[in-house]
Amino acid sequence: ETGVTQTPRHLVMGMTNKKSLKCEQHLGHNAMYWYKQSAKKPLELMFVYSLEERVENNSVPSRFSPECPNSSHLFLHLHTLQPEDSALYLCASSQEASGSSSYNEQFFGPGTRLTVL
Amino acid sequence: GDSVTQMEGPVTLSEEAFLTINCTYTATGYPSLFWYVQYPGEGLQLLLKATKADDKGSNKGFEATYRKETTSFHLEKGSVQVSDSAVYFCALNNAGNMLTFGGGTRLMVKP
């Protein structure tokens, strides 16, 4: 148990559906991340939120829409996805020191296994 | 840009065998290096890290040494157990809190 929970753990959706993935961290961290883990590909960073502001968006298609209402919660809204979007979506959190360029450990949730039909 | 290359798996070993998983990197400057482990059905966990050249990270019997001259950070364990079966990811951090991951190496340990 890392202190980062994700729901649902498994999701099957059609290409016309709209769904949301939820992440919650109980560690008091101020930064949260969404990663995509596909078979036979390196882990891809999708979005980063620091102090509830989006600071990184790695050329992710607009059919993925993140939301960070507070420092403990992170959502990924999904709509009109494609079969190639099927993957494990991982959430992580960390504590960033203001103005610091040093690395602080990221804690990962168990992921949501998404299948797009 | 930065990149991390790992040996492709799966790596299949018998219990108590010696483990090496190779990792090399390309990066400007002086990155920090990490090994993460992902057990079945779980997210990634930090296994060990090294922040400067010649540092050795170690945890749970695993070790890795930061070799700047060969840009490598190979993971080793002297005697693996069935419970070590997992996917291992090498990663680097070059600025702020962003990580660059390798493709992962699946380890399977048989009794």
Side-chain angles (χ1 to χ4, degrees):
Chain A
E1 183 64 43
T2 63
V4 181
T5 58
Q6 291 187 242
T7 54
R9 294 293 308 273
H10 300 272
L11 178 62
V12 179
M13 59 187 289
M15 289 191 285
T16 57
N17 292 157
K18 289 185 180 181
K19 298 286 184 183
S20 295
L21 310 185
K22 179 182 176 182
C23 176
E24 183 173 0
Q25 57 96 1
H26 312 274
L27 302 169
H29 289 163
N30 60 11
M32 298 186 77
Y33 311 76
W34 277 118
Y35 288 88
K36 177 182 179 183
Q37 186 177 21
S38 305
K40 300 182 181 179
K41 279 187 172 183
L43 211 61
E44 301 171 52
L45 178 64
M46 300 175 72
F47 302 104
V48 180
Y49 277 82
S50 177
L51 300 172
E52 299 162 38
E53 288 191 19
R54 191 190 310 182
V55 297
E56 186 78 17
N57 179 344
N58 276 355
S59 303
V60 179
S62 59
R63 57 186 183 268
F64 295 92
S65 174
E67 179 190 1
C68 188
N70 55 62
S71 60
S72 299
H73 293 87
L74 184 66
F75 295 89
L76 187 63
H77 304 299
L78 316 171
H79 64 98
T80 59
L81 293 192
Q82 304 298 310
E84 61 264 28
D85 296 322
S86 298
L88 182 68
Y89 288 85
L90 292 166
C91 173
S93 71
S94 68
Q95 182 64 26
E96 285 195 49
S98 176
S100 169
S101 61
S102 64
Y103 173 78
N104 293 309
E105 180 182 350
Q106 292 182 23
F107 291 79
F108 285 79
T112 295
R113 173 71 60 187
L114 174 67
T115 303
V116 181
L117 302 177
Chain B
D2 299 341
S3 67
V4 177
T5 302
Q6 292 180 235
M7 58 190 294
E8 287 196 24
V11 173
T12 304
L13 296 173
S14 297
E15 212 165 17
E16 300 183 3
F18 185 87
L19 168 72
T20 300
I21 300 179
N22 290 338
C23 170
T24 56
Y25 68 90
T26 302
T28 57
Y30 303 94
S32 296
L33 302 174
F34 308 86
W35 277 100
Y36 276 80
V37 58
Q38 185 177 28
Y39 297 105
E42 298 183 15
L44 278 68
Q45 302 173 31
L46 181 64
L47 180 61
L48 54 84
K49 66 181 181 184
T51 58
K52 61 182 188 297
D54 300 324
D55 267 3
K56 178 185 284 188
S58 60
N59 185 24
K60 299 180 181 180
F62 291 89
E63 293 183 340
T65 301
Y66 189 145
R67 301 285 188 201
K68 191 164 178 61
E69 63 276 14
T70 54
T71 61
S72 65
F73 193 54
H74 304 323
L75 182 68
E76 297 181 337
K77 186 173 185 182
S79 175
V80 294
Q81 305 300 312
V82 173
S83 57
D84 294 326
S85 299
V87 182
Y88 292 82
F89 293 89
C90 186
L92 70 82
N93 166 255
N94 213 355
N97 226 36
M98 306 304 172
L99 289 170
T100 299
F101 285 91
T105 302
R106 181 174 299 279
L107 170 65
M108 297 191 295
V109 181
K110 297 184 175 180

